[in-house]
Amino acid sequence: MTAREANPGQRPRRSIWRSNGAIAAYVFILPYLVFFLVFRIAPALYAGALSFGDYGLTGTFELIGLDNYQRLFDDPLFWNALRVTAVYTVIAIPVTIAISLAMAQLCNRMLRGMSVYRAIFFLPVVTSPVLSGIVWIWIFSPDGPLNWVLGLVNVPTVNWLQSGFWVLPSLALVSAWMNFGYDMLILLAGMLAIPQEYYEAAHVDGATAWQRFRHVTLPLLKPAMFFVLVLETVRSFQVFDTIYVMTGGGPVRSSYSLTFMIYDQGFGYFDFGYASAAGMVLLVITLIVSLIQRRVMRRRDS
Amino acid sequence: MTVTSGLPESTVVTPEAPTRPTKSRRPRRQRLIHVVLLAAALITAFPFYAMVILSLQPGAAVELPSSLMPTSISFDAFRDALASQSIATWALNSTVYSVVSVVLVLLFASMAGYAFAKKRFFGRELIFWVFVAMMMIPHHLTLIPQYILVSEMGGLNTMWGMIVPTIANVQAMFLMRQFIQDIPDELIDAARIDGAGEFRVFVSIILPQTKPILATLGTFVFLWHWNDFLWPLVSQQSPQNYVLTVGLNTLQEQQTPLATVMAAAVVTFIPTLLVFIVLQKYFVRGVMMSGLK
């Protein structure tokens, strides 16, 4: 598609090359484009190449075909990383979205102090995951506040981050705490866009508050919900900072996610080719997920 | 990250804008909502409270619940943290990394955004499509090639080596383009007729018109960089080059006393809090715009 076809009849037609706007346009784009080509496009292409090769520490590079992928699919570590990433995603997404939806519904009204509430809910979003992770390590520690509260109600205490079973739910909880404020605002924006008349009509028809939520809010909130779902999926597949800070992939690799594997193989063992192959798998998964989500959305629209 | 074109600024909902009136005949329900919101706010804020309280009790064994309602406080941990040469250096590195990045990202993103929004040129659709497609590629995949590249350029352990790869920010350019599209062409044409050149139009028409989005984006970019961890972690190997997030993690790994770690955490947190309080309006608006398709 040429630029001219894309914008029919907006401006008097003239040759793209002769218009003085084009040269200025290139000048304006140039700095951005240079950085983009060198530090985004080239690394992306290079990552693909790396995954088919062996990068020596001395800077030598040798193509070895599909060996890295062969090794990856034979590696229990890789299948463990996929499982960890999948389990984490399956736990984190429903928890985060449920909390975000509930808080958006509660915040969708004029009450005194509402802006203060919203600001507090949003504060974890702007906080560094490293900082959040450090405080949450203390909250999850054996003598920490979480276990103290559980002890009050006589629930057996757990060593959250040292338990192979509880470590992923614990990390998912931190993720929910960090991100619900963001998702809440997006859902809130979606709710505020719903015409008030729909609620009035439902009210006249005698719908209860729950029915209004179920039959008016939820269906009309679908685009915002979808946006949040995509966001959370990408976030969950790419979680890294909190895992690095809080568990280091442990205990016994129970939180060794795909991103952690890429980091560990790359910068722990300096096996750049192998790490890039794992990275390509992450890319493929990301693409598949977004394709599925796009298809689902199209079906819903029609 | 779509700002609906044609959506006037005034219809973008901010949390301060009046929302639906609640039925005043249901005060009991209102009270209940207040109770739930208050509980949720307390739980959300608890980690911050804990961070501050723990930083104020150096040397003391942490005992619950009495530690959370301390009878005495001491600023020794802060004195130690701030006296430590490394934390001051890390704070300076974080500041340079964030501030320089904000300036460069905003400048290049607004220039490119302007060209994409208002100029017709050969290859526009293709370049733009490539930009958008690149947003799909996970940062973790390009991390290693970026590392190799910066290493080859001699940029490891340097400030520029840390900053430069983050400059071409796709989301920022995308947002600028969306916003500049809504600036009326007539404004630009009028400046043209008055004899303004390309550069003049950009500086005296486009930039002033984009102030709100520059503030929003500047806040985002500042916090992205201030909180960034992975890239500074791999690109800076000696402790005097660490940024605060990396340094904070190192303190924690080294079994530093809890109060000192928490004091360093508070130091890391204060700029975030200040930026958030001052620019909250812009930040929240930016998030809400990204959800409105």
Side-chain angles (χ1 to χ4, degrees):
Chain A
M1 194 171 19
T2 68
R4 199 189 296 177
E5 276 166 357
N7 300 283
Q10 262 203 349
R11 288 176 169 219
R13 288 195 164 198
R14 53 192 173 184
S15 158
I16 317 165
W17 287 108
R18 240 184 297 158
S19 73
N20 57 6
I23 289 156
Y26 291 122
V27 173
F28 274 109
I29 288 181
L30 197 66
Y32 184 91
L33 199 61
V34 167
F35 285 109
F36 190 77
L37 283 173
V38 176
F39 293 103
R40 287 275 192 280
I41 303 265
L45 297 175
Y46 193 27
L50 270 177
S51 73
F52 297 107
D54 190 25
Y55 188 92
L57 276 181
T58 47
T60 55
F61 180 73
E62 192 189 341
L63 277 178
I64 54 170
L66 290 170
D67 285 10
N68 284 325
Y69 291 94
Q70 181 70 48
R71 209 178 122 203
L72 203 59
F73 292 124
D74 290 338
D75 191 347
L77 206 58
F78 170 67
W79 295 107
N80 175 66
L82 278 189
R83 187 191 58 83
V84 165
T85 306
V87 170
Y88 175 83
T89 304
V90 167
I91 304 172
I93 290 183
V95 172
T96 311
I97 293 186
I99 295 176
S100 313
L101 189 59
M103 298 319 291
Q105 177 70 13
L106 281 177
C107 286
N108 183 16
R109 61 197 85 222
M110 268 300 274
L111 287 185
R112 275 180 51 175
M114 189 53 84
S115 57
V116 177
Y117 287 132
R118 286 176 189 167
I120 291 174
F121 296 146
F122 201 70
L123 202 49
V125 175
V126 294
T127 305
S128 140
V130 175
L131 195 159
S132 306
I134 283 171
V135 183
W136 278 92
I137 291 175
W138 179 70
I139 294 176
F140 282 128
S141 65
D143 306 323
L146 186 58
N147 276 341
W148 181 76
V149 170
L150 290 181
L152 285 185
V153 289
N154 280 322
V155 174
T157 58
V158 175
N159 192 347
W160 300 96
L161 297 176
Q162 291 304 317
S163 148
F165 181 79
W166 286 108
V167 67
L168 290 179
S170 305
L171 287 166
L173 179 66
V174 177
S175 163
W177 175 80
M178 288 196 318
N179 296 322
F180 86 89
Y182 193 98
D183 298 355
M184 180 196 89
L185 277 187
I186 288 177
L187 294 175
L188 194 56
M191 285 176 180
L192 291 170
I194 299 174
Q196 186 63 23
E197 291 78 48
Y198 293 180
Y199 290 99
E200 279 156 14
H203 200 73
V204 170
D205 288 346
T208 64
W210 168 252
Q211 284 169 330
R212 288 198 298 273
F213 177 73
R214 171 73 190 77
H215 297 288
V216 180
T217 309
L218 272 189
L220 290 168
L221 207 55
K222 259 182 196 163
M225 287 285 278
F226 186 78
F227 185 85
V228 166
L229 184 67
V230 174
L231 204 66
E232 281 305 323
T233 313
V234 172
R235 249 182 211 153
S236 296
F237 272 108
Q238 300 185 3
V239 61
F240 177 81
D241 294 3
T242 47
I243 292 182
Y244 184 92
V245 172
M246 295 178 71
T247 69
V252 212
R253 300 200 161 125
S254 325
S255 60
Y256 196 86
S257 68
L258 195 51
T259 49
F260 198 84
M261 179 174 182
I262 298 168
Y263 172 81
D264 193 38
Q265 296 300 319
F267 296 99
Y269 298 95
F270 286 95
D271 199 343
F272 287 155
Y274 194 45
S276 297
M280 291 301 279
V281 174
L282 180 66
L283 172 65
V284 170
I285 293 175
T286 313
L287 291 179
I288 291 174
V289 167
S290 60
L291 273 180
I292 292 173
Q293 284 171 330
R294 204 156 284 194
R295 182 152 295 186
V296 169
M297 182 166 71
R298 204 174 298 154
R299 195 175 306 151
R300 276 188 187 161
D301 284 349
S302 61
Chain B
M1 283 295 164
T2 315
V3 185
T4 318
S5 43
L7 183 76
E9 181 66 356
S10 58
T11 65
V12 174
V13 212
T14 65
E16 289 78 23
T19 52
R20 293 189 181 107
T22 352
K23 305 271 186 299
S24 54
R25 58 193 162 84
R26 273 181 294 185
R28 253 187 72 191
R29 187 144 163 228
Q30 261 200 31
R31 263 205 301 275
L32 184 70
I33 287 167
H34 262 301
V35 169
V36 177
L37 282 173
L38 192 65
L42 287 178
I43 294 172
T44 309
F46 175 75
F48 299 109
Y49 174 77
M51 172 176 78
V52 173
I53 288 298
L54 292 174
S55 71
L56 294 174
Q57 298 173 78
V62 175
E63 261 179 60
L64 294 168
S66 54
S67 293
L68 291 177
M69 288 156 268
T71 45
S72 69
I73 58 169
S74 144
F75 289 97
D76 287 358
F78 282 95
R79 209 192 51 209
D80 294 348
L82 291 172
S84 137
Q85 195 56 49
S86 34
I87 292 181
T89 311
W90 300 340
L92 181 68
N93 291 341
S94 278
T95 309
V96 174
Y97 181 50
S98 310
V99 173
V100 174
S101 299
V102 167
V103 173
L104 293 178
V105 168
L106 290 189
L107 176 66
F108 293 154
S110 54
M111 283 168 62
Y114 168 53
F116 275 112
K118 292 293 181 196
K119 302 278 179 194
R120 321 277 163 250
F121 55 91
F122 179 75
R124 189 178 77 143
E125 302 296 318
L126 177 71
I127 299 175
F128 190 71
W129 184 85
V130 172
F131 282 172
V132 174
M134 283 304 294
M135 288 172 83
M136 301 283 294
I137 296 188
H139 178 47
H140 304 85
L141 175 66
T142 50
L143 187 70
I144 289 168
Q146 266 181 8
Y147 172 85
I148 296 173
L149 190 67
V150 172
S151 163
E152 297 280 328
M153 292 173 164
L156 289 186
N157 286 313
T158 68
M159 187 54 78
W160 69 261
M162 185 158 60
I163 293 173
V164 160
T166 66
I167 297 303
N169 186 314
V170 183
Q171 283 103 319
M173 190 278 291
F174 200 59
L175 211 62
M176 289 311 298
R177 169 186 166 268
Q178 292 285 345
F179 198 88
I180 293 172
Q181 269 177 345
D182 293 344
I183 299 175
D185 284 343
E186 288 75 25
L187 267 181
I188 298 167
D189 293 342
R192 273 280 136 85
I193 291 162
D194 291 347
E198 291 288 349
F199 185 72
R200 194 62 205 281
V201 168
F202 178 71
V203 171
S204 46
I205 307 290
I206 301 297
L207 282 187
Q209 288 285 320
T210 52
K211 260 186 206 156
I213 200 73
L214 287 174
T216 305
L217 204 51
T219 322
F220 270 104
V221 174
F222 177 84
L223 290 173
W224 281 335
H225 282 81
W226 187 263
N227 295 335
D228 193 13
F229 178 65
L230 185 51
W231 176 241
L233 175 73
V234 300
S235 68
Q236 308 298 317
Q237 286 133 346
S238 50
Q240 77 263 22
N241 288 328
Y242 285 174
V243 295
L244 273 170
T245 50
V246 179
L248 193 58
N249 180 60
T250 314
L251 286 183
Q252 185 255 137
E253 281 176 342
Q254 290 167 344
Q255 311 288 321
T256 314
L258 187 62
T260 313
V261 177
M262 292 299 171
V266 173
V267 171
T268 310
F269 182 60
I270 286 171
T272 313
L273 187 66
L274 291 180
V275 166
F276 178 59
I277 290 173
V278 174
L279 296 167
Q280 202 210 116
K281 184 178 75 178
Y282 294 110
F283 203 68
V284 165
R285 182 185 298 164
V287 174
M288 291 183 107
M289 279 194 303
S290 71
L292 290 170
K293 285 240 170 184

